[in-house]
Amino acid sequence: MKMTTGYEPILQNVAKHIALSEGETTFFCSLLQERQYHKKEYLLREGGICNQLAFLTSGCVKSYLLDQKSNEHILTIAIADWWVADYQSLVFDTPSELFIEAVEPTTALLLTKPDREILFTRIPRFEQYFRILTERAFAVSQQRITDILSLPAAARYEQFLRRYQRIAASFSQQQIASFIGVTPAFFSRMLKSKRSS
Amino acid sequence: MKMTTGYEPILQNVAKHIALSEGETTFFCSLLQERQYHKKEYLLREGGICNQLAFLTSGCVKSYLLDQKSNEHILTIAIADWWVADYQSLVFDTPSELFIEAVEPTTALLLTKPDREILFTRIPRFEQYFRILTERAFAVSQQRITDILSLPAAARYEQFLRRYQRIAASFSQQQIASFIGVTPAFFSRMLKSKRSS
DNA sequence: CCTGCCACTTGACCTATGTCAAGTGGCATT
DNA sequence: AATGCCACTTGACATAGGTCAAGTGGCAGG
């Protein structure tokens, strides 16, 4: 069927964890809204309440916050086949402190929070799907905390390279510096000293 | 029934999210194993594979890792009514880099990973229960990352006090210093400068 | 009442990383 | 070819927080 074309990636992702009948597939897709974002366009802005999750079918986004001095700190990087949202805001219904912004042209399938609740009611197996994804995301998040607490900047950069190999090239040094938690100037010096070693 | 006495706290916790019949309650409890830990006893040691979750009915535990210089870095603090596990190890079946240790005498109800799978099969609503808990834990974890990235040590301490008010007193300065990511010496100086201000 | 021990404090010094401002060098537009 | 822009680099300096080792002061056990 033509209507499911743009949904292939998400259906494959879902199929890794739970099986859906044809009717369930149709219902699930009916709750999703496809949306394109151009580079630097926002999926979410600070102050808004995050009431949807986005599944990326192409492109790449970052979520970040700005501190008092307007320095950008990247919290997450998400690429095709990943869900992204401000969980803090989504789960506790609080205003978001994050910006979520497309780093390159990006296509996303949006699922609103109320629609997700409907989905859970109609197809309870989606509880399992999201449980599994969230447990993984949580595990990765915990790892990030231990990295920040226990590793120096150079080692955090190694970790970044390992985990984001495929997409490291689409990020400027500034972005990477922000993700690993150092300034661009320091990161530049760090790279230089690595090259000569 | 006498047999469910020690299970009251966890049943109340579960009841906040899903309703269980009497039979389901009995089955759920049959998968749990109660265990006492004395102060400084380990629930999990580095190198082991974490194959269970622990629900605390009393007491307090910390999870931490040791870096190359044997400095302790506290990842999480858990108190009564919280689940604790090394999700990194539990989810990906990798050897744990964490220690989980009782900070005071603690009682836990243990649920092994295979038993949890059985639970999901027999009572699928537990998928929802754990989805909700994990989403909250993930949201809190994300917040911790943004705190570490964007706030100076003194502000991270404020956050700690806000979030762990009730139990802050059971932690030594060393533990708190480790949680917020500074050395005991620096933390001591920080407190002094706060007092005089 | 001593003795140890343990948490905490403090001083002197050190280092990783930040700040700010002035380059440099591509590369896209005209 | 000139222009401008943007990412990156670099120098000089500043600072948050670390290190190590020597106190101090409770308080628990004998």
Side-chain angles (χ1 to χ4, degrees), chain A residues 73 88 116 120 127 131 135 139 141-143 149, chain B residues 73 88 116 120 127 131 135 139 141-143 149:
Chain A
H73 301 275
Q88 172 77 15
R116 193 175 71 138
F120 288 144
E127 294 278 4
R131 174 191 55 87
E135 283 182 352
S141 175
Q142 296 284 90
Q143 180 69 48
L149 290 178
Chain B
H73 301 275
Q88 172 78 14
R116 193 175 69 138
F120 287 143
E127 294 279 4
R131 176 194 49 90
E135 283 182 351
S141 175
Q142 297 283 91
Q143 179 70 47
L149 290 178

mmCIF file with all atom_site columns, all heavy atoms in Angstrom, chain A residues 73 88 116 120 127 131 135 139 141-143 149, chain B residues 73 88 116 120 127 131 135 139 141-143 149:
data_model
loop_
_atom_site.group_PDB
_atom_site.id
_atom_site.type_symbol
_atom_site.label_atom_id
_atom_site.label_alt_id
_atom_site.label_comp_id
_atom_site.label_asym_id
_atom_site.label_entity_id
_atom_site.label_seq_id
_atom_site.pdbx_PDB_ins_code
_atom_site.Cartn_x
_atom_site.Cartn_y
_atom_site.Cartn_z
_atom_site.occupancy
_atom_site.B_iso_or_equiv
_atom_site.pdbx_formal_charge
_atom_site.auth_seq_id
_atom_site.auth_comp_id
_atom_site.auth_asym_id
_atom_site.auth_atom_id
_atom_site.pdbx_PDB_model_num
ATOM 1   N N   . HIS A 1 73  ? 24.857 23.550  25.871 1.00 0.00 ? 73  HIS A N   1
ATOM 2   C CA  . HIS A 1 73  ? 25.296 22.247  26.374 1.00 0.00 ? 73  HIS A CA  1
ATOM 3   C C   . HIS A 1 73  ? 24.424 21.175  25.745 1.00 0.00 ? 73  HIS A C   1
ATOM 4   O O   . HIS A 1 73  ? 23.217 21.124  26.007 1.00 0.00 ? 73  HIS A O   1
ATOM 5   C CB  . HIS A 1 73  ? 25.171 22.176  27.894 1.00 0.00 ? 73  HIS A CB  1
ATOM 6   C CG  . HIS A 1 73  ? 25.964 23.211  28.610 1.00 0.00 ? 73  HIS A CG  1
ATOM 7   N ND1 . HIS A 1 73  ? 27.298 23.057  28.916 1.00 0.00 ? 73  HIS A ND1 1
ATOM 8   C CD2 . HIS A 1 73  ? 25.621 24.433  29.061 1.00 0.00 ? 73  HIS A CD2 1
ATOM 9   C CE1 . HIS A 1 73  ? 27.738 24.131  29.535 1.00 0.00 ? 73  HIS A CE1 1
ATOM 10  N NE2 . HIS A 1 73  ? 26.739 24.988  29.646 1.00 0.00 ? 73  HIS A NE2 1
ATOM 11  N N   . GLN A 1 88  ? 11.991 14.903  30.502 1.00 0.00 ? 88  GLN A N   1
ATOM 12  C CA  . GLN A 1 88  ? 11.748 15.696  31.699 1.00 0.00 ? 88  GLN A CA  1
ATOM 13  C C   . GLN A 1 88  ? 10.394 16.403  31.583 1.00 0.00 ? 88  GLN A C   1
ATOM 14  O O   . GLN A 1 88  ? 9.556  16.341  32.470 1.00 0.00 ? 88  GLN A O   1
ATOM 15  C CB  . GLN A 1 88  ? 12.884 16.730  31.814 1.00 0.00 ? 88  GLN A CB  1
ATOM 16  C CG  . GLN A 1 88  ? 12.735 17.766  32.883 1.00 0.00 ? 88  GLN A CG  1
ATOM 17  C CD  . GLN A 1 88  ? 13.071 17.196  34.247 1.00 0.00 ? 88  GLN A CD  1
ATOM 18  O OE1 . GLN A 1 88  ? 13.668 16.119  34.350 1.00 0.00 ? 88  GLN A OE1 1
ATOM 19  N NE2 . GLN A 1 88  ? 12.692 17.896  35.285 1.00 0.00 ? 88  GLN A NE2 1
ATOM 20  N N   . ARG A 1 116 ? -0.310 8.617   22.217 1.00 0.00 ? 116 ARG A N   1
ATOM 21  C CA  . ARG A 1 116 ? 0.424  7.465   22.727 1.00 0.00 ? 116 ARG A CA  1
ATOM 22  C C   . ARG A 1 116 ? -0.394 6.753   23.799 1.00 0.00 ? 116 ARG A C   1
ATOM 23  O O   . ARG A 1 116 ? -0.419 5.524   23.856 1.00 0.00 ? 116 ARG A O   1
ATOM 24  C CB  . ARG A 1 116 ? 1.799  7.884   23.274 1.00 0.00 ? 116 ARG A CB  1
ATOM 25  C CG  . ARG A 1 116 ? 2.706  6.676   23.524 1.00 0.00 ? 116 ARG A CG  1
ATOM 26  C CD  . ARG A 1 116 ? 4.107  7.093   23.944 1.00 0.00 ? 116 ARG A CD  1
ATOM 27  N NE  . ARG A 1 116 ? 4.133  7.654   25.280 1.00 0.00 ? 116 ARG A NE  1
ATOM 28  C CZ  . ARG A 1 116 ? 5.075  7.379   26.191 1.00 0.00 ? 116 ARG A CZ  1
ATOM 29  N NH1 . ARG A 1 116 ? 6.082  6.568   25.883 1.00 0.00 ? 116 ARG A NH1 1
ATOM 30  N NH2 . ARG A 1 116 ? 5.034  7.942   27.366 1.00 0.00 ? 116 ARG A NH2 1
ATOM 31  N N   . PHE A 1 120 ? -1.545 2.898   23.793 1.00 0.00 ? 120 PHE A N   1
ATOM 32  C CA  . PHE A 1 120 ? -1.354 1.937   24.891 1.00 0.00 ? 120 PHE A CA  1
ATOM 33  C C   . PHE A 1 120 ? -2.674 1.235   25.220 1.00 0.00 ? 120 PHE A C   1
ATOM 34  O O   . PHE A 1 120 ? -2.704 0.039   25.510 1.00 0.00 ? 120 PHE A O   1
ATOM 35  C CB  . PHE A 1 120 ? -0.837 2.636   26.146 1.00 0.00 ? 120 PHE A CB  1
ATOM 36  C CG  . PHE A 1 120 ? 0.601  3.077   26.054 1.00 0.00 ? 120 PHE A CG  1
ATOM 37  C CD1 . PHE A 1 120 ? 1.024  4.266   26.643 1.00 0.00 ? 120 PHE A CD1 1
ATOM 38  C CD2 . PHE A 1 120 ? 1.546  2.302   25.384 1.00 0.00 ? 120 PHE A CD2 1
ATOM 39  C CE1 . PHE A 1 120 ? 2.340  4.666   26.577 1.00 0.00 ? 120 PHE A CE1 1
ATOM 40  C CE2 . PHE A 1 120 ? 2.872  2.708   25.313 1.00 0.00 ? 120 PHE A CE2 1
ATOM 41  C CZ  . PHE A 1 120 ? 3.269  3.889   25.905 1.00 0.00 ? 120 PHE A CZ  1
ATOM 42  N N   . GLU A 1 127 ? 3.194  -0.946  25.287 1.00 0.00 ? 127 GLU A N   1
ATOM 43  C CA  . GLU A 1 127 ? 3.817  -0.717  26.595 1.00 0.00 ? 127 GLU A CA  1
ATOM 44  C C   . GLU A 1 127 ? 5.177  -1.402  26.632 1.00 0.00 ? 127 GLU A C   1
ATOM 45  O O   . GLU A 1 127 ? 6.169  -0.855  27.093 1.00 0.00 ? 127 GLU A O   1
ATOM 46  C CB  . GLU A 1 127 ? 2.939  -1.287  27.723 1.00 0.00 ? 127 GLU A CB  1
ATOM 47  C CG  . GLU A 1 127 ? 1.606  -0.610  27.911 1.00 0.00 ? 127 GLU A CG  1
ATOM 48  C CD  . GLU A 1 127 ? 1.702  0.665   28.735 1.00 0.00 ? 127 GLU A CD  1
ATOM 49  O OE1 . GLU A 1 127 ? 2.816  1.076   29.101 1.00 0.00 ? 127 GLU A OE1 1
ATOM 50  O OE2 . GLU A 1 127 ? 0.640  1.246   28.997 1.00 0.00 ? 127 GLU A OE2 1
ATOM 51  N N   . ARG A 1 131 ? 8.699  0.264   26.935 1.00 0.00 ? 131 ARG A N   1
ATOM 52  C CA  . ARG A 1 131 ? 9.476  -0.120  28.121 1.00 0.00 ? 131 ARG A CA  1
ATOM 53  C C   . ARG A 1 131 ? 10.890 -0.491  27.713 1.00 0.00 ? 131 ARG A C   1
ATOM 54  O O   . ARG A 1 131 ? 11.871 -0.028  28.296 1.00 0.00 ? 131 ARG A O   1
ATOM 55  C CB  . ARG A 1 131 ? 8.854  -1.294  28.866 1.00 0.00 ? 131 ARG A CB  1
ATOM 56  C CG  . ARG A 1 131 ? 9.784  -1.748  30.005 1.00 0.00 ? 131 ARG A CG  1
ATOM 57  C CD  . ARG A 1 131 ? 9.433  -3.048  30.659 1.00 0.00 ? 131 ARG A CD  1
ATOM 58  N NE  . ARG A 1 131 ? 9.307  -4.209  29.814 1.00 0.00 ? 131 ARG A NE  1
ATOM 59  C CZ  . ARG A 1 131 ? 10.307 -5.017  29.459 1.00 0.00 ? 131 ARG A CZ  1
ATOM 60  N NH1 . ARG A 1 131 ? 11.563 -4.757  29.799 1.00 0.00 ? 131 ARG A NH1 1
ATOM 61  N NH2 . ARG A 1 131 ? 10.061 -6.078  28.714 1.00 0.00 ? 131 ARG A NH2 1
ATOM 62  N N   . GLU A 1 135 ? 14.217 1.559   28.738 1.00 0.00 ? 135 GLU A N   1
ATOM 63  C CA  . GLU A 1 135 ? 15.254 0.936   29.564 1.00 0.00 ? 135 GLU A CA  1
ATOM 64  C C   . GLU A 1 135 ? 16.629 1.081   28.906 1.00 0.00 ? 135 GLU A C   1
ATOM 65  O O   . GLU A 1 135 ? 17.624 1.354   29.578 1.00 0.00 ? 135 GLU A O   1
ATOM 66  C CB  . GLU A 1 135 ? 14.931 -0.547  29.804 1.00 0.00 ? 135 GLU A CB  1
ATOM 67  C CG  . GLU A 1 135 ? 13.843 -0.727  30.854 1.00 0.00 ? 135 GLU A CG  1
ATOM 68  C CD  . GLU A 1 135 ? 13.529 -2.176  31.166 1.00 0.00 ? 135 GLU A CD  1
ATOM 69  O OE1 . GLU A 1 135 ? 14.040 -3.086  30.470 1.00 0.00 ? 135 GLU A OE1 1
ATOM 70  O OE2 . GLU A 1 135 ? 12.762 -2.411  32.115 1.00 0.00 ? 135 GLU A OE2 1
ATOM 71  N N   . ALA A 1 139 ? 19.765 3.182   30.382 1.00 0.00 ? 139 ALA A N   1
ATOM 72  C CA  . ALA A 1 139 ? 21.083 2.578   30.579 1.00 0.00 ? 139 ALA A CA  1
ATOM 73  C C   . ALA A 1 139 ? 22.171 3.444   29.937 1.00 0.00 ? 139 ALA A C   1
ATOM 74  O O   . ALA A 1 139 ? 23.223 3.698   30.532 1.00 0.00 ? 139 ALA A O   1
ATOM 75  C CB  . ALA A 1 139 ? 21.108 1.165   30.005 1.00 0.00 ? 139 ALA A CB  1
ATOM 76  N N   . SER A 1 141 ? 22.008 6.608   29.289 1.00 0.00 ? 141 SER A N   1
ATOM 77  C CA  . SER A 1 141 ? 22.062 7.851   30.039 1.00 0.00 ? 141 SER A CA  1
ATOM 78  C C   . SER A 1 141 ? 22.910 7.702   31.315 1.00 0.00 ? 141 SER A C   1
ATOM 79  O O   . SER A 1 141 ? 23.724 8.565   31.657 1.00 0.00 ? 141 SER A O   1
ATOM 80  C CB  . SER A 1 141 ? 20.628 8.250   30.378 1.00 0.00 ? 141 SER A CB  1
ATOM 81  O OG  . SER A 1 141 ? 20.589 9.384   31.196 1.00 0.00 ? 141 SER A OG  1
ATOM 82  N N   . GLN A 1 142 ? 22.735 6.569   31.981 1.00 0.00 ? 142 GLN A N   1
ATOM 83  C CA  . GLN A 1 142 ? 23.519 6.306   33.191 1.00 0.00 ? 142 GLN A CA  1
ATOM 84  C C   . GLN A 1 142 ? 25.005 6.224   32.847 1.00 0.00 ? 142 GLN A C   1
ATOM 85  O O   . GLN A 1 142 ? 25.865 6.728   33.569 1.00 0.00 ? 142 GLN A O   1
ATOM 86  C CB  . GLN A 1 142 ? 23.070 4.983   33.826 1.00 0.00 ? 142 GLN A CB  1
ATOM 87  C CG  . GLN A 1 142 ? 21.652 4.956   34.325 1.00 0.00 ? 142 GLN A CG  1
ATOM 88  C CD  . GLN A 1 142 ? 21.484 5.693   35.625 1.00 0.00 ? 142 GLN A CD  1
ATOM 89  O OE1 . GLN A 1 142 ? 21.204 6.892   35.631 1.00 0.00 ? 142 GLN A OE1 1
ATOM 90  N NE2 . GLN A 1 142 ? 21.639 5.021   36.727 1.00 0.00 ? 142 GLN A NE2 1
ATOM 91  N N   . GLN A 1 143 ? 25.283 5.586   31.723 1.00 0.00 ? 143 GLN A N   1
ATOM 92  C CA  . GLN A 1 143 ? 26.674 5.469   31.286 1.00 0.00 ? 143 GLN A CA  1
ATOM 93  C C   . GLN A 1 143 ? 27.270 6.851   31.027 1.00 0.00 ? 143 GLN A C   1
ATOM 94  O O   . GLN A 1 143 ? 28.416 7.131   31.352 1.00 0.00 ? 143 GLN A O   1
ATOM 95  C CB  . GLN A 1 143 ? 26.729 4.633   30.001 1.00 0.00 ? 143 GLN A CB  1
ATOM 96  C CG  . GLN A 1 143 ? 28.128 4.438   29.444 1.00 0.00 ? 143 GLN A CG  1
ATOM 97  C CD  . GLN A 1 143 ? 28.967 3.548   30.329 1.00 0.00 ? 143 GLN A CD  1
ATOM 98  O OE1 . GLN A 1 143 ? 28.527 2.493   30.747 1.00 0.00 ? 143 GLN A OE1 1
ATOM 99  N NE2 . GLN A 1 143 ? 30.185 3.974   30.629 1.00 0.00 ? 143 GLN A NE2 1
ATOM 100 N N   . LEU A 1 149 ? 31.455 11.901  35.127 1.00 0.00 ? 149 LEU A N   1
ATOM 101 C CA  . LEU A 1 149 ? 31.988 11.982  36.492 1.00 0.00 ? 149 LEU A CA  1
ATOM 102 C C   . LEU A 1 149 ? 33.408 11.439  36.590 1.00 0.00 ? 149 LEU A C   1
ATOM 103 O O   . LEU A 1 149 ? 34.199 11.922  37.388 1.00 0.00 ? 149 LEU A O   1
ATOM 104 C CB  . LEU A 1 149 ? 31.099 11.197  37.468 1.00 0.00 ? 149 LEU A CB  1
ATOM 105 C CG  . LEU A 1 149 ? 29.716 11.776  37.777 1.00 0.00 ? 149 LEU A CG  1
ATOM 106 C CD1 . LEU A 1 149 ? 28.971 10.835  38.725 1.00 0.00 ? 149 LEU A CD1 1
ATOM 107 C CD2 . LEU A 1 149 ? 29.828 13.161  38.403 1.00 0.00 ? 149 LEU A CD2 1
ATOM 108 N N   . HIS B 1 73  ? 32.896 7.469   42.608 1.00 0.00 ? 73  HIS B N   1
ATOM 109 C CA  . HIS B 1 73  ? 31.950 8.407   41.998 1.00 0.00 ? 73  HIS B CA  1
ATOM 110 C C   . HIS B 1 73  ? 30.550 7.826   42.140 1.00 0.00 ? 73  HIS B C   1
ATOM 111 O O   . HIS B 1 73  ? 30.255 6.781   41.555 1.00 0.00 ? 73  HIS B O   1
ATOM 112 C CB  . HIS B 1 73  ? 32.263 8.618   40.523 1.00 0.00 ? 73  HIS B CB  1
ATOM 113 C CG  . HIS B 1 73  ? 33.630 9.153   40.272 1.00 0.00 ? 73  HIS B CG  1
ATOM 114 N ND1 . HIS B 1 73  ? 33.920 10.495  40.311 1.00 0.00 ? 73  HIS B ND1 1
ATOM 115 C CD2 . HIS B 1 73  ? 34.796 8.526   40.004 1.00 0.00 ? 73  HIS B CD2 1
ATOM 116 C CE1 . HIS B 1 73  ? 35.214 10.673  40.057 1.00 0.00 ? 73  HIS B CE1 1
ATOM 117 N NE2 . HIS B 1 73  ? 35.770 9.490   39.869 1.00 0.00 ? 73  HIS B NE2 1
ATOM 118 N N   . GLN B 1 88  ? 22.706 -0.606  32.998 1.00 0.00 ? 88  GLN B N   1
ATOM 119 C CA  . GLN B 1 88  ? 23.717 -0.858  31.956 1.00 0.00 ? 88  GLN B CA  1
ATOM 120 C C   . GLN B 1 88  ? 23.967 -2.359  31.846 1.00 0.00 ? 88  GLN B C   1
ATOM 121 O O   . GLN B 1 88  ? 23.928 -2.938  30.768 1.00 0.00 ? 88  GLN B O   1
ATOM 122 C CB  . GLN B 1 88  ? 25.004 -0.125  32.365 1.00 0.00 ? 88  GLN B CB  1
ATOM 123 C CG  . GLN B 1 88  ? 26.215 -0.395  31.530 1.00 0.00 ? 88  GLN B CG  1
ATOM 124 C CD  . GLN B 1 88  ? 26.155 0.377   30.226 1.00 0.00 ? 88  GLN B CD  1
ATOM 125 O OE1 . GLN B 1 88  ? 25.358 1.290   30.067 1.00 0.00 ? 88  GLN B OE1 1
ATOM 126 N NE2 . GLN B 1 88  ? 27.001 -0.013  29.289 1.00 0.00 ? 88  GLN B NE2 1
ATOM 127 N N   . ARG B 1 116 ? 11.294 -11.552 36.147 1.00 0.00 ? 116 ARG B N   1
ATOM 128 C CA  . ARG B 1 116 ? 10.567 -10.383 35.651 1.00 0.00 ? 116 ARG B CA  1
ATOM 129 C C   . ARG B 1 116 ? 9.977  -10.686 34.278 1.00 0.00 ? 116 ARG B C   1
ATOM 130 O O   . ARG B 1 116 ? 8.856  -10.296 33.974 1.00 0.00 ? 116 ARG B O   1
ATOM 131 C CB  . ARG B 1 116 ? 11.478 -9.154  35.595 1.00 0.00 ? 116 ARG B CB  1
ATOM 132 C CG  . ARG B 1 116 ? 10.692 -7.867  35.395 1.00 0.00 ? 116 ARG B CG  1
ATOM 133 C CD  . ARG B 1 116 ? 11.556 -6.624  35.450 1.00 0.00 ? 116 ARG B CD  1
ATOM 134 N NE  . ARG B 1 116 ? 12.447 -6.516  34.315 1.00 0.00 ? 116 ARG B NE  1
ATOM 135 C CZ  . ARG B 1 116 ? 12.685 -5.375  33.655 1.00 0.00 ? 116 ARG B CZ  1
ATOM 136 N NH1 . ARG B 1 116 ? 12.121 -4.251  34.051 1.00 0.00 ? 116 ARG B NH1 1
ATOM 137 N NH2 . ARG B 1 116 ? 13.516 -5.354  32.639 1.00 0.00 ? 116 ARG B NH2 1
ATOM 138 N N   . PHE B 1 120 ? 6.115  -10.503 33.182 1.00 0.00 ? 120 PHE B N   1
ATOM 139 C CA  . PHE B 1 120 ? 5.580  -9.791  32.017 1.00 0.00 ? 120 PHE B CA  1
ATOM 140 C C   . PHE B 1 120 ? 4.663  -10.697 31.196 1.00 0.00 ? 120 PHE B C   1
ATOM 141 O O   . PHE B 1 120 ? 3.637  -10.266 30.675 1.00 0.00 ? 120 PHE B O   1
ATOM 142 C CB  . PHE B 1 120 ? 6.713  -9.287  31.120 1.00 0.00 ? 120 PHE B CB  1
ATOM 143 C CG  . PHE B 1 120 ? 7.478  -8.115  31.689 1.00 0.00 ? 120 PHE B CG  1
ATOM 144 C CD1 . PHE B 1 120 ? 8.848  -7.999  31.497 1.00 0.00 ? 120 PHE B CD1 1
ATOM 145 C CD2 . PHE B 1 120 ? 6.822  -7.124  32.407 1.00 0.00 ? 120 PHE B CD2 1
ATOM 146 C CE1 . PHE B 1 120 ? 9.550  -6.923  32.009 1.00 0.00 ? 120 PHE B CE1 1
ATOM 147 C CE2 . PHE B 1 120 ? 7.529  -6.034  32.926 1.00 0.00 ? 120 PHE B CE2 1
ATOM 148 C CZ  . PHE B 1 120 ? 8.896  -5.938  32.724 1.00 0.00 ? 120 PHE B CZ  1
ATOM 149 N N   . GLU B 1 127 ? 4.275  -4.563  32.315 1.00 0.00 ? 127 GLU B N   1
ATOM 150 C CA  . GLU B 1 127 ? 5.015  -3.801  31.301 1.00 0.00 ? 127 GLU B CA  1
ATOM 151 C C   . GLU B 1 127 ? 4.760  -2.318  31.506 1.00 0.00 ? 127 GLU B C   1
ATOM 152 O O   . GLU B 1 127 ? 5.665  -1.487  31.472 1.00 0.00 ? 127 GLU B O   1
ATOM 153 C CB  . GLU B 1 127 ? 4.561  -4.183  29.887 1.00 0.00 ? 127 GLU B CB  1
ATOM 154 C CG  . GLU B 1 127 ? 4.872  -5.594  29.479 1.00 0.00 ? 127 GLU B CG  1
ATOM 155 C CD  . GLU B 1 127 ? 6.309  -5.758  28.999 1.00 0.00 ? 127 GLU B CD  1
ATOM 156 O OE1 . GLU B 1 127 ? 7.095  -4.795  29.052 1.00 0.00 ? 127 GLU B OE1 1
ATOM 157 O OE2 . GLU B 1 127 ? 6.641  -6.881  28.559 1.00 0.00 ? 127 GLU B OE2 1
ATOM 158 N N   . ARG B 1 131 ? 7.346  0.480   32.515 1.00 0.00 ? 131 ARG B N   1
ATOM 159 C CA  . ARG B 1 131 ? 7.529  1.558   31.540 1.00 0.00 ? 131 ARG B CA  1
ATOM 160 C C   . ARG B 1 131 ? 7.450  2.910   32.247 1.00 0.00 ? 131 ARG B C   1
ATOM 161 O O   . ARG B 1 131 ? 8.302  3.776   32.060 1.00 0.00 ? 131 ARG B O   1
ATOM 162 C CB  . ARG B 1 131 ? 6.467  1.516   30.441 1.00 0.00 ? 131 ARG B CB  1
ATOM 163 C CG  . ARG B 1 131 ? 6.652  2.713   29.521 1.00 0.00 ? 131 ARG B CG  1
ATOM 164 C CD  . ARG B 1 131 ? 5.527  3.018   28.577 1.00 0.00 ? 131 ARG B CD  1
ATOM 165 N NE  . ARG B 1 131 ? 4.190  3.087   29.092 1.00 0.00 ? 131 ARG B NE  1
ATOM 166 C CZ  . ARG B 1 131 ? 3.602  4.208   29.568 1.00 0.00 ? 131 ARG B CZ  1
ATOM 167 N NH1 . ARG B 1 131 ? 4.279  5.346   29.666 1.00 0.00 ? 131 ARG B NH1 1
ATOM 168 N NH2 . ARG B 1 131 ? 2.353  4.173   29.954 1.00 0.00 ? 131 ARG B NH2 1
ATOM 169 N N   . GLU B 1 135 ? 10.525 5.499   32.593 1.00 0.00 ? 135 GLU B N   1
ATOM 170 C CA  . GLU B 1 135 ? 10.457 6.826   31.983 1.00 0.00 ? 135 GLU B CA  1
ATOM 171 C C   . GLU B 1 135 ? 10.784 7.906   33.007 1.00 0.00 ? 135 GLU B C   1
ATOM 172 O O   . GLU B 1 135 ? 11.500 8.863   32.702 1.00 0.00 ? 135 GLU B O   1
ATOM 173 C CB  . GLU B 1 135 ? 9.069  7.066   31.373 1.00 0.00 ? 135 GLU B CB  1
ATOM 174 C CG  . GLU B 1 135 ? 8.902  6.335   30.052 1.00 0.00 ? 135 GLU B CG  1
ATOM 175 C CD  . GLU B 1 135 ? 7.564  6.582   29.365 1.00 0.00 ? 135 GLU B CD  1
ATOM 176 O OE1 . GLU B 1 135 ? 6.675  7.193   29.980 1.00 0.00 ? 135 GLU B OE1 1
ATOM 177 O OE2 . GLU B 1 135 ? 7.416  6.142   28.220 1.00 0.00 ? 135 GLU B OE2 1
ATOM 178 N N   . ALA B 1 139 ? 13.971 10.414  32.897 1.00 0.00 ? 139 ALA B N   1
ATOM 179 C CA  . ALA B 1 139 ? 13.828 11.862  32.951 1.00 0.00 ? 139 ALA B CA  1
ATOM 180 C C   . ALA B 1 139 ? 14.738 12.456  34.033 1.00 0.00 ? 139 ALA B C   1
ATOM 181 O O   . ALA B 1 139 ? 15.419 13.456  33.814 1.00 0.00 ? 139 ALA B O   1
ATOM 182 C CB  . ALA B 1 139 ? 12.374 12.246  33.224 1.00 0.00 ? 139 ALA B CB  1
ATOM 183 N N   . SER B 1 141 ? 17.430 11.130  35.224 1.00 0.00 ? 141 SER B N   1
ATOM 184 C CA  . SER B 1 141 ? 18.801 10.918  34.785 1.00 0.00 ? 141 SER B CA  1
ATOM 185 C C   . SER B 1 141 ? 19.243 12.002  33.794 1.00 0.00 ? 141 SER B C   1
ATOM 186 O O   . SER B 1 141 ? 20.361 12.529  33.866 1.00 0.00 ? 141 SER B O   1
ATOM 187 C CB  . SER B 1 141 ? 18.878 9.532   34.143 1.00 0.00 ? 141 SER B CB  1
ATOM 188 O OG  . SER B 1 141 ? 20.138 9.286   33.602 1.00 0.00 ? 141 SER B OG  1
ATOM 189 N N   . GLN B 1 142 ? 18.339 12.360  32.872 1.00 0.00 ? 142 GLN B N   1
ATOM 190 C CA  . GLN B 1 142 ? 18.648 13.409  31.900 1.00 0.00 ? 142 GLN B CA  1
ATOM 191 C C   . GLN B 1 142 ? 18.874 14.738  32.615 1.00 0.00 ? 142 GLN B C   1
ATOM 192 O O   . GLN B 1 142 ? 19.771 15.506  32.281 1.00 0.00 ? 142 GLN B O   1
ATOM 193 C CB  . GLN B 1 142 ? 17.485 13.570  30.909 1.00 0.00 ? 142 GLN B CB  1
ATOM 194 C CG  . GLN B 1 142 ? 17.209 12.356  30.070 1.00 0.00 ? 142 GLN B CG  1
ATOM 195 C CD  . GLN B 1 142 ? 18.201 12.197  28.939 1.00 0.00 ? 142 GLN B CD  1
ATOM 196 O OE1 . GLN B 1 142 ? 19.226 11.532  29.102 1.00 0.00 ? 142 GLN B OE1 1
ATOM 197 N NE2 . GLN B 1 142 ? 17.933 12.817  27.826 1.00 0.00 ? 142 GLN B NE2 1
ATOM 198 N N   . GLN B 1 143 ? 18.055 14.968  33.628 1.00 0.00 ? 143 GLN B N   1
ATOM 199 C CA  . GLN B 1 143 ? 18.206 16.194  34.403 1.00 0.00 ? 143 GLN B CA  1
ATOM 200 C C   . GLN B 1 143 ? 19.564 16.246  35.092 1.00 0.00 ? 143 GLN B C   1
ATOM 201 O O   . GLN B 1 143 ? 20.224 17.271  35.136 1.00 0.00 ? 143 GLN B O   1
ATOM 202 C CB  . GLN B 1 143 ? 17.088 16.271  35.450 1.00 0.00 ? 143 GLN B CB  1
ATOM 203 C CG  . GLN B 1 143 ? 17.149 17.494  36.346 1.00 0.00 ? 143 GLN B CG  1
ATOM 204 C CD  . GLN B 1 143 ? 16.809 18.761  35.583 1.00 0.00 ? 143 GLN B CD  1
ATOM 205 O OE1 . GLN B 1 143 ? 15.838 18.802  34.847 1.00 0.00 ? 143 GLN B OE1 1
ATOM 206 N NE2 . GLN B 1 143 ? 17.599 19.807  35.751 1.00 0.00 ? 143 GLN B NE2 1
ATOM 207 N N   . LEU B 1 149 ? 26.479 19.268  33.399 1.00 0.00 ? 149 LEU B N   1
ATOM 208 C CA  . LEU B 1 149 ? 27.080 20.015  32.291 1.00 0.00 ? 149 LEU B CA  1
ATOM 209 C C   . LEU B 1 149 ? 26.996 21.523  32.487 1.00 0.00 ? 149 LEU B C   1
ATOM 210 O O   . LEU B 1 149 ? 27.881 22.257  32.044 1.00 0.00 ? 149 LEU B O   1
ATOM 211 C CB  . LEU B 1 149 ? 26.396 19.650  30.970 1.00 0.00 ? 149 LEU B CB  1
ATOM 212 C CG  . LEU B 1 149 ? 26.631 18.255  30.404 1.00 0.00 ? 149 LEU B CG  1
ATOM 213 C CD1 . LEU B 1 149 ? 25.833 18.068  29.117 1.00 0.00 ? 149 LEU B CD1 1
ATOM 214 C CD2 . LEU B 1 149 ? 28.116 18.016  30.129 1.00 0.00 ? 149 LEU B CD2 1
#
